Amino acid sequence: QVQLVQSGGGVVQPGRSLRLSCAASGFTFSGYAMYWVRQAPGKGLDWVAAISYDGHKTFYADSVKDRFTISRDNSKNILYLQMKSLRPDDTAVYYCARNLSAFAVAASGYWGQGTLLTVSS
Amino acid sequence: EIVLTQSPGTLSLSPGGRATLSCRASQSLSSGYLAWYRQKPGQAPRLLIYGASSRATGIPDRFSGSGSGTDFTLTISRLEPEDFAVYYCQHYGSSSWTFGQGTKVEIK
């Protein structure tokens, strides 16, 4: 079965960096686009970044462009989100998600369990 | 950038009742790439509907999606206890992804 297991959250000071990971299993990771979505406390869902199945194309929300980098290691079946210059308004639960269909534009059919990032001094 | 506006913000209904949730896009989604998710407290979202009207695997037929262009609707025909949650619509595309602000369905 499809599993997305996240790690790497925690408390970090403003201006620092952190990397989130999402380990995938139960499917052919290299065939699916992947996403990061975040949810600030008590707020709605906010798309953060997307990466194509092969890693050649990446897309970012304006709020994180030039600060966050999405990447993937298809040999290890891991999705990453490298975050730098973190700000208090980056505080959120971060979810990784998998495209519903391989090699196609599709909704996010599978989600990780979420990991909380708190940016605070 | 496409903006999705959901209404109402909160819907107060009784178990067994019918829920009608709206999602309006700021420009036409001619591709029909519109999804609906349900999120229970403390859980990750779950995909309900994709392509505006296709139910995801394992989603019961009390959930139905409809609409095209700029106006989309999620209907829950008979509310079960687990359906009292927050619902989000999402436009997904080849280079842009946007969520609506959510509709909370609460017990009346």
Side-chain angles (χ1 to χ4, degrees):
Chain A
Q1 71 282 20
V2 174
Q3 280 199 309
L4 300 171
V5 179
Q6 299 181 225
S7 60
V11 181
V12 63
Q13 293 179 326
R16 302 298 291 265
S17 300
L18 193 72
R19 188 178 75 169
L20 304 181
S21 300
C22 172
S25 61
F27 65 99
T28 304
F29 182 67
S30 59
Y32 293 83
M34 299 291 295
Y35 309 93
W36 288 99
V37 174
R38 69 184 180 183
Q39 187 169 37
K43 303 297 184 182
L45 301 173
D46 191 22
W47 170 74
V48 173
I51 187 166
S52 61
Y53 66 94
D54 55 6
H56 291 171
K57 296 180 182 178
T58 57
F59 307 90
Y60 299 92
D62 287 344
S63 58
V64 306
K65 202 171 294 183
D66 301 324
R67 299 189 300 121
F68 289 11
T69 302
I70 187 172
S71 62
R72 63 192 298 159
D73 186 334
N74 283 350
S75 67
K76 295 181 179 179
N77 293 349
I78 302 178
L79 174 73
Y80 299 104
L81 185 67
Q82 179 69 50
M83 303 177 289
K84 67 179 185 179
S85 303
L86 284 163
R87 310 185 304 218
D89 63 356
D90 293 318
T91 295
V93 173
Y94 285 73
Y95 294 101
C96 63
R98 194 206 87 174
N99 222 29
L100 180 63
S101 304
F103 307 113
V105 175
S108 298
Y110 298 89
W111 294 68
Q113 82 276 18
T115 188
L116 177 61
L117 168 67
T118 302
V119 183
S120 173
S121 54
Chain B
E1 178 188 338
I2 293 173
V3 176
L4 299 179
T5 302
Q6 292 186 240
S7 61
T10 302
L11 202 50
S12 299
L13 294 167
S14 301
R18 181 183 183 91
T20 302
L21 287 66
S22 174
C23 177
R24 177 163 290 178
S26 60
Q27 54 188 280
S28 178
L29 305 184
S30 54
S31 60
Y33 290 151
L34 192 285
W36 290 93
Y37 301 84
R38 178 180 68 186
Q39 186 179 33
K40 300 177 187 178
Q43 296 187 16
R46 180 177 183 182
L47 177 66
L48 302 173
I49 300 288
Y50 63 94
S53 60
S54 298
R55 270 189 302 276
T57 301
I59 301 303
D61 61 7
R62 66 179 184 273
F63 291 93
S64 62
S66 62
S68 63
T70 60
D71 292 304
F72 298 86
T73 300
L74 174 70
T75 302
I76 311 170
S77 58
R78 297 170 308 278
L79 285 164
E80 297 287 340
E82 62 267 28
D83 298 333
F84 292 94
V86 181
Y87 292 81
Y88 296 94
C89 61
Q90 182 205 28
H91 165 60
Y92 54 93
S94 56
S95 62
S96 66
W97 296 262
T98 309
F99 287 95
Q101 82 278 19
T103 290
K104 181 179 181 180
V105 178
E106 65 176 22
I107 299 177
K108 185 175 182 180

